[in-house]
Amino acid sequence: MITGCCTDGKIMVRRCLVTFKPFRIFVVGIGFFSLCFLMTSLGGQFSAKRLGDSPFTIRTEVLGGVESRGVLRKISDMLEVIMKRMDSLSKLDNTSTSEARRLDELSSAINRFQPAGLVEKIQAIAQNVSNMAIRVEQILQNSVMQGRAVRDGTSSQCEVPRDPRFPECPGKVDWMRARWTSDPCYAFYGVDGSDCSFLIYLSEVEWFCPPLAWRNHSSPPTQHTYQPKPTRRHAAFRTDLSVLLDQVGTGKESLSFMKRRIRRLTQQWATAANRLDAKLEQRWRDQKKILVHVGFLTEESGDVFSPKVLKGGPLGEMVQWADILTALHVLGHNLKISMSVKELQGFLGVPPGRGSCPLTGPLPFDLIYTDYHGLQQMKQNMGLSLRRHKCHIRVIDTFGTEPAYNHEEYATLHGYRTNWGYWNLNARQYMTMFPHTPDNSFMGFVSEELNETEKRSIQQNKVNNMAVVYGKEASMWKLQQGKEGFLQILHKYMEVHGTVYYETQRPPEVPAFVKNHGLLPQHELQQLLRKAKLFIGFGFPYEGPAPLEAIANGCIFLQPKFHPPHSSLNHEFFRGKPTSREVFSQHPYAEQYIGRPHVMTVDYNNSLEFDSVIREIMRTEVQPYLPYEYTCEGMLERVHAYIQHQDFCATEPPFIPANLSRQGSAGGSRLTGPLFVPLPNTTALGWASNMTAPAAWPPLSSLRLLVSQEGQSCVEACQSAGFICEPAHFRFINNKEALHGLEVQCEVVDSEMNHILPAFSVVRRECGLQREPLLFSCAGHSAKYRRLCPCRDFRRGQAALCRDCL
């Protein structure tokens, strides 16, 4: 079709006019006919890439000075010809009615043979060519300027500098010489193959070379561009979720699921917002510009979740993302939502091309919430600017990332490198579904909260001998995995119900005595749980939201004990995940933070123990229970505190205890007296009240300094004393003063990169301090060392926050 239209002659021009009727009167820039001319007369100098790419994904095969000037001359001449032809052709519209009707009939007939969307495709290609022509002109202008520089004897100003402050500059110039055409974004920023253009780019767009003295530096390089302080806006609580529902979008079952969940919990979010607003006494809260990029639901990541929504697939991630979106909206922040790479590029202002060039303007967002898939997509589209802006990122990470896996160099050298992790973030930028390790921030999700009337109704209608099995996929029921024994015992005492997905017939893996309801909508599942006495797990999936929902509806959750514990060392599911955490049961949070009588953990392989616990469950009466941190108010409280207080972009000055002074003493006086003092009724040390406390969040008033046992992590040491390990406090105890306060005897004090430091060896009387702040780790442990552990207190029902953190 394109070739035919590009044939010279009145007849073929007339055919082009009829076939592409929208172009008859429409000439803006370079239209369809000039596109035809270019594609034939320029010998394929421009080759179009796939549709959907940005304009500069058209690559230029030949962009030499003389040839490029010829290209522009041909374009200019052809535009004049096009205007004359279009003036005459447009008169066809004023011919007789019969002629116009014949033209329309011919157009309609030919349109039937056109591929769908052909006109739009040709328009896109034409626009791409038009944009490239503009770039050619810019490149030619740069070439003229460089020619003048050579004539003026200033070409020496583009010699590659050897500046010790910019050691990478020569290597980067060599790379640009060889690869500058690999991404059209370089041409977008004025790179044309000359050393001058390389140096301008590497000093003003990137930052590997020194600024050129002869350049106009009225505007400093982009990475240091001064930006006026934005106007502060107050974040007012919102209870209307209609705007959010529109933002989530449509077209995928995963999005429909999330929207149904948001609608179902609307009233609970509104009530929680009013409660938290009263608790905060309407204090000022900064409104943040927030981008939420849900990477795992993008087509580019494969979006394996959406097709499984109606087939019993995992919904935990979608539950959490729906609640995160709602919490951010209800808290009153300025929210943008991205579900595709194209949307991500548009929101960030990514330069056209393949993502090799950095963003040159300021990041248009204060915070970006994404996941590991989204983080990888951001790396591919932000170039080096990701390094500069990554302090704004929060990664929603279901199972957590420990510092040893997060530090790229350390992970590579010490065997902690996996397919995930190694992003060199502050470990608190990873936000988990459950409080696995305090090294990460606990984001969580919400479960529906019952009112008193609903609780009484549940108590009255509970069926004492009814059990529901946790497992929507038939593969979880496979009897060869050793489930026959305990299922038969359970069936002896209780009526067993399942919610297993099936298409045409009962899944063969499900025993005949199980009453299978098929996959239930959320509200029907809730009704089933409100009748059941027992919710029983098979050991998988790990740490999902369903057990909390069952407990909130008055069920007892029964789960298997793992011996040995599951981890990346012995279980395929955890292999490759950036954590060394050992999982002792299917749902460690339920076991540790809720426990009996709501949660019972037993060895399923011990038939006597299993039989005994089933009989105990039938005798036990429990009330519906939901931990505060999984209510709407609890999540709002937690997310509010993170947004207002966590700042990973601010540079933390080194903590030097010798510079501290006593409160009330003359400024500048040196530290006298202990920095840490014993606290009553505990073996922990606290911050000395007569010492000025540096500004910190959590505040230093929450600090409790402890020593672990050999082989014990700080997570375990703090928990055993009734506290929570607080990684933000590590920098305040990573010093000799903390060792002295704990009366540790050190013959040698070294500083190195190791995720168990600060720590000491009793046998060797050796003490070690941490040299790399990114490796401060609550999770690390060693059989040879006792660790210095910064613990803190916490709010009742809210492990993520200290008592004074709100």
Side-chain angles (χ1 to χ4, degrees), residues 739 744-750 752 757-769 784-786 788:
L739 292 167
V744 176
Q745 302 299 315
C746 306
E747 293 184 0
V748 178
V749 179
D750 288 328
E752 60 179 292
L757 299 179
F760 63 92
S761 168
V762 176
V763 176
R764 293 194 294 272
R765 297 168 72 99
E766 293 176 351
C767 300
L769 300 178
K784 298 179 181 178
Y785 287 89
R786 300 182 68 183
L788 274 64

Side-chain angles (χ1 to χ4, degrees), residues 50 85 118 158 161 167 169 373 409 419 539 591 601 606 704 722:
R50 71 184 190 280
R85 289 184 181 181
L118 182 58
C158 291
C169 183
H373 294 283
E409 178 186 355
N419 291 333
E591 180 183 11
T601 307
N606 186 327
R704 305 290 185 264

Side-chain angles (χ1 to χ4, degrees), residues 63-265:
L63 286 177
V66 175
E67 291 173 286
S68 298
R69 191 176 299 280
V71 170
L72 288 176
R73 188 178 296 114
K74 290 180 180 180
I75 293 172
S76 178
D77 293 343
M78 195 57 199
L79 279 174
E80 293 185 13
V81 175
I82 291 168
M83 293 300 297
K84 292 178 181 178
R85 289 184 181 181
M86 294 306 294
D87 285 339
S88 60
L89 290 171
S90 64
K91 295 176 182 178
L92 290 172
D93 280 350
N94 299 322
T95 58
S96 67
T97 304
S98 60
E99 290 177 348
R101 186 168 57 252
R102 285 197 296 272
L103 279 175
D104 289 336
E105 291 171 353
L106 179 60
S107 173
S108 176
I110 295 177
N111 281 336
R112 288 197 295 271
F113 294 96
Q114 284 185 208
L118 182 58
V119 172
E120 288 78 10
K121 294 179 181 178
I122 292 176
Q123 285 178 316
I125 295 172
Q127 183 62 48
N128 288 351
V129 175
S130 175
N131 291 336
M132 181 53 71
I134 295 171
R135 289 301 311 140
V136 170
E137 175 63 25
Q138 293 172 346
I139 291 170
L140 286 174
Q141 291 175 356
N142 290 337
S143 299
V144 170
M145 293 175 61
Q146 290 159 23
R148 290 174 182 168
V150 172
R151 289 195 300 272
D152 295 342
T154 58
S155 60
S156 61
Q157 294 173 338
C158 291
E159 293 179 357
V160 180
R162 304 286 175 177
D163 190 329
R165 298 172 302 166
F166 298 88
E168 296 181 80
C169 183
K172 291 295 181 180
V173 172
D174 289 340
W175 188 95
M176 292 290 287
R177 286 168 177 161
R179 299 290 306 279
W180 77 272
T181 58
S182 64
D183 193 323
C185 72
Y186 297 117
F188 174 77
Y189 284 125
V191 175
D192 58 13
S194 67
D195 282 0
C196 281
S197 68
F198 297 154
L199 291 171
I200 292 170
Y201 175 85
L202 291 170
S203 62
E204 298 180 14
V205 179
E206 297 184 8
W207 48 92
F208 293 105
C209 294
L212 300 174
W214 54 273
R215 291 283 290 173
N216 179 5
H217 294 296
S218 58
S219 295
T222 55
Q223 68 274 16
H224 302 301
T225 300
Y226 169 76
Q227 298 296 329
K229 194 170 183 179
T231 303
R232 294 178 66 194
R233 293 180 180 272
H234 176 61
F237 283 99
R238 301 187 185 107
T239 56
D240 182 358
L241 303 186
S242 58
V243 173
L244 174 64
L245 290 167
D246 290 339
Q247 284 184 285
V248 171
T250 59
K252 293 182 178 181
E253 189 56 43
S254 54
L255 302 183
S256 299
F257 172 86
M258 292 166 66
K259 291 172 77 168
R260 288 194 297 269
R261 178 174 178 82
I262 292 170
R263 289 191 190 97
R264 191 171 64 253
L265 294 175

Side-chain angles (χ1 to χ4, degrees), residues 46 275 464 658 732 773:
F46 296 97
R275 288 176 181 170
N464 201 47
F732 299 111

